[in-house]
Amino acid sequence: AGIVVIKTLFFSGRGDARVINVAQCVGKICTEEFVQSLGTDYTVSIVETYENSIEKGFIISQSPSAGEERRIAGSQTVHLVLTVSRGPEQTVLKNYMMFDAREAEIELRKAGFGVEIKEQNHDTIPDGRVISTYPIAGVTVDIGEIITLYVSTGEDVKYSYMPECTGKTQEDAYARLLTANIGIGVVTYVN
């Protein structure tokens, strides 16, 4: 057995075996120059993935890990797999105007967005319907971004107390109605 081991190491071309400490790549920008700077001891495979919190081009992980020892001989190389961020996944924001606010919120959350709801009065859009979004419909947004839904609470209804106008002159009744922010409707004269 000893003769076979010695023969294999020294006479089969494996006597030039050397130990490689795997390079630290995580956190660096993956460029062609960077891959070439690793040298001929490495064969590099790149896997891209979307990552909301890491900018495009940065190396997220590597296999084997940095600092691990690998023994190579002759023309062998260390196969290094680098996982590189593609940045946040993006999509074009759909138009949610006139959608039911609850349905729009559910759809956005399923798509991976955060949702913030702000209520506003609107004279023509019914209560509970989406008036608009921020960012606006049709723009490219990052998955995970917070989308603000402006939701209608219906018309801005203001209440006023009806002043007593019975027995008053026409000018006095008009003045009381205008002071109470009540519009003058149809005036009917009775003999």
Side-chain angles (χ1 to χ4, degrees):
I3 292 172
V4 172
V5 170
I6 291 171
K7 201 174 183 183
T8 303
L9 286 175
F10 296 106
F11 300 108
S12 67
R14 294 188 179 256
D16 61 345
R18 61 193 190 283
V19 175
I20 301 291
N21 283 325
V22 177
Q24 168 66 291
C25 300
V26 174
K28 297 184 178 168
I29 298 175
C30 187
T31 61
E32 194 174 319
E33 293 80 20
F34 173 75
V35 172
Q36 289 175 354
S37 73
L38 293 172
T40 57
D41 291 335
Y42 295 96
T43 304
V44 178
S45 295
I46 296 173
V47 177
E48 292 186 320
T49 184
Y50 289 108
E51 184 61 49
N52 289 343
S53 59
I54 299 175
E55 285 183 45
K56 183 177 181 177
F58 279 87
I59 299 169
I60 302 168
S61 65
Q62 69 181 69
S63 175
S65 300
E68 281 188 26
E69 290 185 353
R70 290 290 190 259
R71 184 174 302 277
I72 60 173
S75 62
Q76 289 181 330
T77 59
V78 175
H79 184 73
L80 186 60
V81 179
L82 302 177
T83 304
V84 179
S85 173
R86 293 182 76 179
E89 188 175 358
Q90 296 184 319
T91 188
V92 175
L93 186 63
K94 180 176 162 181
N95 186 356
Y96 287 96
M97 184 176 178
M98 293 301 290
F99 267 64
D100 179 80
R102 290 177 300 251
E103 290 175 12
E105 181 179 5
I106 289 167
E107 189 173 308
L108 284 167
R109 289 194 189 279
K110 280 184 181 176
F113 293 101
V115 179
E116 180 182 6
I117 293 179
K118 291 189 177 180
E119 294 183 334
Q120 294 180 340
N121 295 112
H122 201 280
D123 293 337
T124 57
I125 296 181
D127 184 25
R129 298 284 176 171
V130 177
I131 301 168
S132 63
T133 59
Y134 180 83
I136 60 171
V139 301
T140 302
V141 290
D142 297 339
I143 300 292
E145 193 172 327
I146 295 177
I147 306 298
T148 303
L149 293 177
Y150 293 95
V151 178
S152 174
T153 55
E155 287 186 65
D156 185 16
V157 179
K158 294 180 182 171
Y159 293 95
S160 183
Y161 289 101
M162 180 67 187
E164 179 59 53
C165 295
T166 306
K168 306 295 182 202
T169 65
Q170 184 174 346
E171 293 78 20
D172 189 27
Y174 283 173
R176 286 175 179 244
L177 291 172
L178 293 174
T179 302
N181 289 324
I182 297 174
I184 310 288
V186 177
V187 178
T188 305
Y189 294 96
V190 179
N191 287 333

